[in-house]
Amino acid sequence: MQTIAQALDKLERSKFRSGFHLTKKEQAYLDEKGMDVIRRHAEDFVHQKLAPADPVNDGRQTPMHGHPVFKAMHATACCCRGCLNKWYKVPLHRELTGSEEQRIVNLLMAWIDRNYRPHDQIGE
Ligand SMILES: [Zn+2]
């Protein structure tokens, strides 16, 4: 099994996946909420959107923006069960286990951590 660092390195070699970045608005949202709250949001989104055996509208259930976790889900190929299957060999048509959900949340938070800059350091 690959580590989070290996997964992030592999994602960075994908032109599509590495094209996602946090906007200033999403960074401001991180500033405002803090990482503990964002992790709880990530847990909720993963549980609602990815954990069911056959998620509603699979492949289109994750908006492209509007929340830093959505951005992270696309950037890490944790946006739908099809991508989880392709990238991480997670079987389709069965519920995710609690530990799979936790591993996904850990990867999402690691991506956010790697891509997050505190507000006053943004040079734009
Ligand atoms: Zn997907």
Side-chain angles (χ1 to χ4, degrees):
M1 191 187 306
Q2 65 185 345
T3 64
I4 283 179
Q6 287 167 338
L8 290 174
D9 287 346
K10 190 176 165 195
L11 289 157
E12 275 177 11
R13 291 196 295 275
S14 160
K15 199 168 160 73
F16 177 67
R17 299 296 168 183
S18 65
F20 291 97
H21 302 286
L22 292 169
T23 63
K24 282 173 82 171
K25 201 172 162 190
E26 287 162 346
Q27 306 237 17
Y29 188 78
L30 293 171
D31 290 340
E32 183 194 327
K33 296 290 179 184
M35 285 301 180
D36 291 350
V37 171
I38 296 298
R39 173 175 280 271
R40 286 206 294 282
H41 292 178
E43 288 169 350
D44 287 346
F45 292 146
V46 168
H47 193 69
Q48 290 161 13
K49 293 177 178 299
L50 299 176
D54 288 290
V56 180
N57 286 326
D58 196 43
R60 279 169 294 141
Q61 70 268 57
T62 303
M64 297 303 278
H65 42 72
H67 195 290
V69 171
F70 294 157
K71 190 64 67 70
M73 289 168 79
H74 286 286
T76 59
C78 296
C79 44
C80 66
R81 291 296 292 266
C83 292
L84 281 176
N85 180 254
K86 185 178 160 203
W87 277 76
Y88 306 107
K89 310 223 176 346
V90 177
L92 296 166
H93 311 303
R94 70 141 170 84
E95 259 182 72
L96 296 183
T97 65
S99 80
E100 285 169 337
E101 288 187 47
Q102 270 314 309
R103 292 217 309 271
I104 292 167
V105 168
N106 289 341
L107 179 59
L108 295 173
M109 295 308 294
W111 184 88
I112 288 173
D113 198 55
R114 204 184 254 202
N115 285 271
Y116 174 49
R117 297 287 175 277
H119 197 60
D120 55 3
Q121 290 178 24
I122 296 175
E124 298 170 33

